[in-house]
Amino acid sequence: VYKRQVLLTCSATAALEMAASLAELGPGDEVVMPSFNFVSAANAVVLRGARVVFADIEPHTLNLCPDDLGSRINGRTKAIIPIDYAGVGCDLDCISGAAKLNGALCIEDAAQGVGSRIGTRPLGTGAPLAVFSFHESKNLGCGEGGALIINDPNYLERAHHIRDKGTNRSSFLAGESDKYTWVDAGSSYAISELSAAYLLGQLECLDIVTGRRVAHWNRYAERLAHARETGCLKWNDIPSGRTHNGHIFYLLLETPDERDRFIDYLASGGVQAFFHYVPLHLSPMGRALGYAPGDLPTTEDLASRLVRLPLYATLEESAVDYVADRVLEFFGLAA
């Protein structure tokens, strides 16, 4: 019985590039992904000569919208790369179903999703290939690090070749080959031993780290509930059946201008709060690919109003309360 394999890589970017190679992307192929995204998935596609097709997001999760996805798929679609934004699982059953129906490969970008679940299924285990990130900005980090999860055994041998500079090193070390030689196109994607050792200690504390982050997430939700009830601000509800890892607590302000004033107000009190992705289709590279403002209205609207509050495992509850107090003060709702 095949047990899924996890190949540690030097970054999630490297893992995505490996996945793009395993998908055998090339000129004439198209890959659908959300524009509200980090650039690594798009680069992995472009570097293979394929075309990125950006899709819109769901307003309640900021994940890839299955309905909009359907309008982007055609006979050239070779792969679909959804992300699990804020560690909240995307509608992977629907997205994977659409991929299978159209002969495309689903690659789950679970970079933010370590420790999250859909039902009893951990993120990163529901598509043939998936990616984790262990960048310093993630729940678990080793400076730079990532992983490619091989859920379909058909990709395993070639994944080893690609990670090991295109060689059969893994089978040679296992005694399955009498020669160590070049067998495929690949690169140096493996994680360093020092980074892996640093990561191991954190992996052993995954439940503790996740528990602390979720507790802070819940504390924000509790302290800011009144402001939400008054309609001053919004944040994401976690869909039924999905368990998140407390990766991001974000607010949605009414307008971009209010968002900017809000960030400045928090900064004046010593609180660092940030917006998140500039939609890729509005970037210089996205414009060069033919996209323009208005192409993805939900993405453009939400990205312009989103702000992330401080959230990390070692944050003190008193600091969470201080941030919450500053948020309430901005809206004239101080306790």
Short mmCIF file of all heavy atoms in Angstrom, two decimals, residues 21-67:
data_model
loop_
_atom_site.label_atom_id
_atom_site.label_comp_id
_atom_site.label_asym_id
_atom_site.label_seq_id
_atom_site.Cartn_x
_atom_site.Cartn_y
_atom_site.Cartn_z
N SER A 21 7.24 20.88 -13.31
CA SER A 21 7.98 19.94 -14.14
C SER A 21 7.26 18.59 -14.21
O SER A 21 7.17 17.98 -15.27
CB SER A 21 9.40 19.75 -13.59
OG SER A 21 10.16 20.92 -13.71
N LEU A 22 6.75 18.14 -13.06
CA LEU A 22 6.03 16.87 -13.04
C LEU A 22 4.76 16.93 -13.88
O LEU A 22 4.32 15.92 -14.44
CB LEU A 22 5.69 16.49 -11.59
CG LEU A 22 6.88 16.08 -10.73
CD1 LEU A 22 6.48 16.01 -9.26
CD2 LEU A 22 7.43 14.73 -11.19
N ALA A 23 4.16 18.11 -13.96
CA ALA A 23 2.96 18.29 -14.79
C ALA A 23 3.30 18.37 -16.27
O ALA A 23 2.40 18.39 -17.12
CB ALA A 23 2.22 19.56 -14.36
N GLU A 24 4.60 18.42 -16.57
CA GLU A 24 5.09 18.50 -17.95
C GLU A 24 4.48 19.68 -18.70
O GLU A 24 4.03 19.58 -19.83
CB GLU A 24 4.82 17.18 -18.69
CG GLU A 24 5.54 16.00 -18.05
CD GLU A 24 5.35 14.70 -18.83
OE1 GLU A 24 4.38 14.60 -19.61
OE2 GLU A 24 6.19 13.80 -18.65
N LEU A 25 4.49 20.82 -18.02
CA LEU A 25 3.97 22.05 -18.63
C LEU A 25 4.91 22.51 -19.73
O LEU A 25 6.12 22.34 -19.66
CB LEU A 25 3.84 23.15 -17.58
CG LEU A 25 2.90 22.88 -16.40
CD1 LEU A 25 2.91 24.08 -15.46
CD2 LEU A 25 1.49 22.58 -16.88
N GLY A 26 4.32 23.15 -20.73
CA GLY A 26 5.11 23.69 -21.82
C GLY A 26 4.31 24.68 -22.64
O GLY A 26 3.15 24.98 -22.32
N PRO A 27 4.91 25.23 -23.68
CA PRO A 27 4.21 26.19 -24.53
C PRO A 27 2.89 25.62 -25.04
O PRO A 27 2.81 24.46 -25.43
CB PRO A 27 5.21 26.42 -25.68
CG PRO A 27 6.54 26.14 -25.07
CD PRO A 27 6.32 25.01 -24.11
N GLY A 28 1.85 26.47 -24.99
CA GLY A 28 0.52 26.06 -25.42
C GLY A 28 -0.36 25.57 -24.29
O GLY A 28 -1.58 25.49 -24.43
N ASP A 29 0.26 25.25 -23.13
CA ASP A 29 -0.51 24.81 -21.97
C ASP A 29 -0.97 26.01 -21.14
O ASP A 29 -0.31 27.06 -21.15
CB ASP A 29 0.33 23.89 -21.07
CG ASP A 29 0.70 22.59 -21.75
OD1 ASP A 29 -0.09 22.12 -22.59
OD2 ASP A 29 1.78 22.04 -21.44
N GLU A 30 -2.07 25.83 -20.44
CA GLU A 30 -2.58 26.87 -19.55
C GLU A 30 -2.75 26.31 -18.14
O GLU A 30 -3.07 25.12 -17.98
CB GLU A 30 -3.92 27.42 -20.05
CG GLU A 30 -3.81 28.15 -21.38
CD GLU A 30 -5.12 28.79 -21.82
OE1 GLU A 30 -6.14 28.60 -21.11
OE2 GLU A 30 -5.13 29.48 -22.85
N VAL A 31 -2.53 27.15 -17.15
CA VAL A 31 -2.67 26.77 -15.75
C VAL A 31 -3.52 27.82 -15.05
O VAL A 31 -3.20 29.01 -15.07
CB VAL A 31 -1.31 26.65 -15.05
CG1 VAL A 31 -1.50 26.26 -13.59
CG2 VAL A 31 -0.43 25.62 -15.76
N VAL A 32 -4.61 27.38 -14.42
CA VAL A 32 -5.52 28.30 -13.74
C VAL A 32 -5.13 28.40 -12.27
O VAL A 32 -4.87 27.38 -11.61
CB VAL A 32 -6.98 27.83 -13.86
CG1 VAL A 32 -7.92 28.87 -13.23
CG2 VAL A 32 -7.35 27.58 -15.31
N MET A 33 -5.09 29.62 -11.75
CA MET A 33 -4.79 29.86 -10.34
C MET A 33 -5.41 31.20 -9.94
O MET A 33 -5.72 32.03 -10.80
CB MET A 33 -3.28 29.89 -10.10
CG MET A 33 -2.57 31.07 -10.75
SD MET A 33 -0.78 31.06 -10.49
CE MET A 33 -0.30 29.63 -11.45
N PRO A 34 -5.59 31.42 -8.64
CA PRO A 34 -6.11 32.74 -8.22
C PRO A 34 -5.06 33.82 -8.41
O PRO A 34 -3.86 33.58 -8.25
CB PRO A 34 -6.43 32.53 -6.74
CG PRO A 34 -5.55 31.40 -6.31
CD PRO A 34 -5.40 30.51 -7.50
N SER A 35 -5.53 35.02 -8.74
CA SER A 35 -4.64 36.17 -8.83
C SER A 35 -4.24 36.67 -7.44
O SER A 35 -3.17 37.24 -7.27
CB SER A 35 -5.32 37.29 -9.61
OG SER A 35 -4.58 38.48 -9.54
N PHE A 36 -5.10 36.44 -6.45
CA PHE A 36 -4.78 36.82 -5.07
C PHE A 36 -3.87 35.72 -4.52
O PHE A 36 -4.32 34.72 -3.96
CB PHE A 36 -6.06 36.95 -4.24
CG PHE A 36 -5.84 37.57 -2.89
CD1 PHE A 36 -5.43 38.89 -2.78
CD2 PHE A 36 -6.02 36.84 -1.73
CE1 PHE A 36 -5.23 39.47 -1.53
CE2 PHE A 36 -5.81 37.40 -0.48
CZ PHE A 36 -5.41 38.72 -0.38
N ASN A 37 -2.57 35.94 -4.70
CA ASN A 37 -1.63 34.84 -4.58
C ASN A 37 -0.22 35.41 -4.51
O ASN A 37 0.03 36.52 -4.99
CB ASN A 37 -1.78 33.94 -5.82
CG ASN A 37 -1.19 32.56 -5.65
OD1 ASN A 37 -0.49 32.28 -4.70
ND2 ASN A 37 -1.49 31.69 -6.61
N PHE A 38 0.70 34.63 -3.96
CA PHE A 38 2.11 34.99 -4.05
C PHE A 38 2.61 34.59 -5.43
O PHE A 38 2.02 33.77 -6.12
CB PHE A 38 2.92 34.29 -2.96
CG PHE A 38 4.33 34.78 -2.84
CD1 PHE A 38 4.58 36.12 -2.55
CD2 PHE A 38 5.40 33.94 -3.02
CE1 PHE A 38 5.89 36.60 -2.45
CE2 PHE A 38 6.70 34.40 -2.92
CZ PHE A 38 6.94 35.72 -2.64
N VAL A 39 3.73 35.16 -5.84
CA VAL A 39 4.17 35.05 -7.23
C VAL A 39 4.77 33.69 -7.58
O VAL A 39 4.92 33.35 -8.75
CB VAL A 39 5.18 36.18 -7.53
CG1 VAL A 39 6.50 35.92 -6.80
CG2 VAL A 39 5.41 36.34 -9.02
N SER A 40 5.12 32.87 -6.59
CA SER A 40 5.86 31.63 -6.87
C SER A 40 5.13 30.68 -7.80
O SER A 40 5.74 30.09 -8.71
CB SER A 40 6.20 30.92 -5.56
OG SER A 40 7.15 31.65 -4.82
N ALA A 41 3.83 30.49 -7.60
CA ALA A 41 3.09 29.56 -8.46
C ALA A 41 3.06 30.07 -9.89
O ALA A 41 3.22 29.29 -10.84
CB ALA A 41 1.67 29.38 -7.94
N ALA A 42 2.88 31.37 -10.07
CA ALA A 42 2.85 31.93 -11.41
C ALA A 42 4.21 31.80 -12.08
O ALA A 42 4.32 31.46 -13.27
CB ALA A 42 2.42 33.40 -11.36
N ASN A 43 5.28 32.07 -11.33
CA ASN A 43 6.62 31.93 -11.89
C ASN A 43 6.91 30.50 -12.33
O ASN A 43 7.54 30.27 -13.37
CB ASN A 43 7.67 32.36 -10.86
CG ASN A 43 8.00 33.84 -10.95
OD1 ASN A 43 7.90 34.45 -12.01
ND2 ASN A 43 8.38 34.42 -9.83
N ALA A 44 6.46 29.53 -11.53
CA ALA A 44 6.70 28.13 -11.88
C ALA A 44 6.10 27.79 -13.23
O ALA A 44 6.66 27.02 -14.01
CB ALA A 44 6.13 27.22 -10.80
N VAL A 45 4.95 28.38 -13.52
CA VAL A 45 4.27 28.15 -14.80
C VAL A 45 4.98 28.87 -15.93
O VAL A 45 5.27 28.29 -16.99
CB VAL A 45 2.80 28.60 -14.69
CG1 VAL A 45 2.11 28.54 -16.05
CG2 VAL A 45 2.06 27.73 -13.68
N VAL A 46 5.26 30.16 -15.72
CA VAL A 46 5.88 30.97 -16.76
C VAL A 46 7.26 30.43 -17.14
O VAL A 46 7.64 30.42 -18.32
CB VAL A 46 5.99 32.44 -16.29
CG1 VAL A 46 6.81 33.27 -17.25
CG2 VAL A 46 4.59 33.05 -16.14
N LEU A 47 8.01 29.97 -16.16
CA LEU A 47 9.34 29.45 -16.44
C LEU A 47 9.31 28.19 -17.31
O LEU A 47 10.31 27.85 -17.94
CB LEU A 47 10.08 29.15 -15.12
CG LEU A 47 10.56 30.38 -14.34
CD1 LEU A 47 11.05 29.98 -12.96
CD2 LEU A 47 11.66 31.11 -15.11
N ARG A 48 8.17 27.51 -17.32
CA ARG A 48 8.02 26.33 -18.17
C ARG A 48 7.48 26.69 -19.55
O ARG A 48 7.28 25.81 -20.39
CB ARG A 48 7.08 25.32 -17.51
CG ARG A 48 7.58 24.76 -16.18
CD ARG A 48 8.67 23.74 -16.35
NE ARG A 48 8.22 22.59 -17.13
CZ ARG A 48 8.98 21.56 -17.44
NH1 ARG A 48 10.23 21.55 -17.05
NH2 ARG A 48 8.51 20.56 -18.14
N GLY A 49 7.21 27.97 -19.78
CA GLY A 49 6.72 28.40 -21.07
C GLY A 49 5.22 28.30 -21.23
O GLY A 49 4.68 28.55 -22.32
N ALA A 50 4.50 27.96 -20.15
CA ALA A 50 3.05 27.85 -20.20
C ALA A 50 2.40 29.20 -19.84
O ALA A 50 3.09 30.13 -19.42
CB ALA A 50 2.56 26.76 -19.24
N ARG A 51 1.10 29.27 -20.01
CA ARG A 51 0.37 30.53 -19.79
C ARG A 51 -0.40 30.45 -18.48
O ARG A 51 -1.10 29.48 -18.21
CB ARG A 51 -0.61 30.78 -20.95
CG ARG A 51 -1.45 32.04 -20.78
CD ARG A 51 -2.30 32.31 -22.01
NE ARG A 51 -3.07 33.53 -21.86
CZ ARG A 51 -4.33 33.56 -21.43
NH1 ARG A 51 -4.96 32.44 -21.14
NH2 ARG A 51 -4.97 34.72 -21.31
N VAL A 52 -0.25 31.51 -17.68
CA VAL A 52 -1.02 31.63 -16.45
C VAL A 52 -2.40 32.19 -16.76
O VAL A 52 -2.51 33.20 -17.48
CB VAL A 52 -0.31 32.56 -15.44
CG1 VAL A 52 -1.15 32.73 -14.19
CG2 VAL A 52 1.06 32.01 -15.09
N VAL A 53 -3.43 31.57 -16.23
CA VAL A 53 -4.80 32.06 -16.35
C VAL A 53 -5.29 32.38 -14.95
O VAL A 53 -5.47 31.49 -14.12
CB VAL A 53 -5.72 31.01 -17.02
CG1 VAL A 53 -7.16 31.51 -17.05
CG2 VAL A 53 -5.22 30.70 -18.43
N PHE A 54 -5.47 33.66 -14.67
CA PHE A 54 -5.90 34.07 -13.34
C PHE A 54 -7.41 33.99 -13.19
O PHE A 54 -8.15 34.34 -14.12
CB PHE A 54 -5.43 35.49 -13.05
CG PHE A 54 -3.94 35.62 -12.90
CD1 PHE A 54 -3.22 36.48 -13.71
CD2 PHE A 54 -3.26 34.87 -11.95
CE1 PHE A 54 -1.84 36.61 -13.58
CE2 PHE A 54 -1.88 34.98 -11.81
CZ PHE A 54 -1.18 35.85 -12.63
N ALA A 55 -7.84 33.54 -12.02
CA ALA A 55 -9.27 33.41 -11.72
C ALA A 55 -9.60 34.21 -10.48
O ALA A 55 -8.72 34.58 -9.69
CB ALA A 55 -9.64 31.94 -11.53
N ASP A 56 -10.89 34.46 -10.27
CA ASP A 56 -11.35 35.25 -9.13
C ASP A 56 -11.48 34.38 -7.88
O ASP A 56 -11.35 33.15 -7.94
CB ASP A 56 -12.69 35.91 -9.47
CG ASP A 56 -12.77 37.34 -8.95
OD1 ASP A 56 -12.06 37.67 -7.98
OD2 ASP A 56 -13.56 38.14 -9.51
N ILE A 57 -11.76 35.01 -6.76
CA ILE A 57 -11.80 34.33 -5.47
C ILE A 57 -13.19 34.42 -4.84
O ILE A 57 -14.02 35.24 -5.22
CB ILE A 57 -10.76 34.92 -4.49
CG1 ILE A 57 -10.96 36.44 -4.35
CG2 ILE A 57 -9.36 34.59 -4.96
CD1 ILE A 57 -10.02 37.08 -3.34
N GLU A 58 -13.41 33.54 -3.85
CA GLU A 58 -14.64 33.58 -3.07
C GLU A 58 -14.55 34.70 -2.03
O GLU A 58 -13.52 34.86 -1.38
CB GLU A 58 -14.84 32.27 -2.30
CG GLU A 58 -14.94 31.03 -3.13
CD GLU A 58 -15.03 29.78 -2.27
OE1 GLU A 58 -14.25 29.68 -1.29
OE2 GLU A 58 -15.85 28.91 -2.57
N PRO A 59 -15.61 35.47 -1.83
CA PRO A 59 -15.53 36.55 -0.85
C PRO A 59 -15.44 36.07 0.59
O PRO A 59 -14.91 36.78 1.45
CB PRO A 59 -16.82 37.34 -1.09
CG PRO A 59 -17.74 36.38 -1.77
CD PRO A 59 -16.88 35.49 -2.58
N HIS A 60 -15.92 34.86 0.88
CA HIS A 60 -15.95 34.40 2.27
C HIS A 60 -14.70 33.63 2.69
O HIS A 60 -14.50 33.40 3.89
CB HIS A 60 -17.19 33.55 2.53
CG HIS A 60 -17.30 32.33 1.67
ND1 HIS A 60 -17.53 32.41 0.32
CD2 HIS A 60 -17.19 31.02 1.97
CE1 HIS A 60 -17.57 31.17 -0.18
NE2 HIS A 60 -17.36 30.33 0.80
N THR A 61 -13.84 33.22 1.76
CA THR A 61 -12.61 32.55 2.12
C THR A 61 -11.38 33.16 1.45
O THR A 61 -10.26 32.92 1.88
CB THR A 61 -12.64 31.05 1.72
OG1 THR A 61 -12.70 30.95 0.29
CG2 THR A 61 -13.81 30.34 2.36
N LEU A 62 -11.57 33.91 0.39
CA LEU A 62 -10.50 34.46 -0.45
C LEU A 62 -9.71 33.36 -1.16
O LEU A 62 -8.61 33.57 -1.63
CB LEU A 62 -9.55 35.36 0.36
CG LEU A 62 -10.04 36.81 0.58
CD1 LEU A 62 -11.30 36.84 1.44
CD2 LEU A 62 -8.95 37.65 1.24
N ASN A 63 -10.32 32.18 -1.24
CA ASN A 63 -9.75 31.08 -2.01
C ASN A 63 -10.33 31.08 -3.42
O ASN A 63 -11.33 31.74 -3.70
CB ASN A 63 -10.05 29.75 -1.32
CG ASN A 63 -9.20 29.53 -0.09
OD1 ASN A 63 -8.07 29.99 -0.01
ND2 ASN A 63 -9.74 28.82 0.89
N LEU A 64 -9.72 30.29 -4.29
CA LEU A 64 -10.17 30.16 -5.68
C LEU A 64 -11.65 29.85 -5.74
O LEU A 64 -12.14 28.94 -5.07
CB LEU A 64 -9.37 29.04 -6.36
CG LEU A 64 -9.69 28.73 -7.82
CD1 LEU A 64 -9.39 29.93 -8.71
CD2 LEU A 64 -8.87 27.52 -8.27
N CYS A 65 -12.38 30.62 -6.54
CA CYS A 65 -13.83 30.45 -6.66
C CYS A 65 -14.12 29.35 -7.67
O CYS A 65 -13.80 29.49 -8.86
CB CYS A 65 -14.45 31.76 -7.12
SG CYS A 65 -16.24 31.65 -7.44
N PRO A 66 -14.74 28.24 -7.25
CA PRO A 66 -15.02 27.15 -8.19
C PRO A 66 -15.89 27.57 -9.37
O PRO A 66 -15.68 27.09 -10.49
CB PRO A 66 -15.74 26.12 -7.31
CG PRO A 66 -15.25 26.38 -5.93
CD PRO A 66 -15.11 27.88 -5.87
N ASP A 67 -16.83 28.48 -9.14
CA ASP A 67 -17.69 28.92 -10.24
C ASP A 67 -16.89 29.68 -11.29
O ASP A 67 -17.07 29.47 -12.50
CB ASP A 67 -18.83 29.79 -9.71
CG ASP A 67 -19.84 28.99 -8.89
OD1 ASP A 67 -19.92 27.77 -9.08
OD2 ASP A 67 -20.54 29.61 -8.06
#
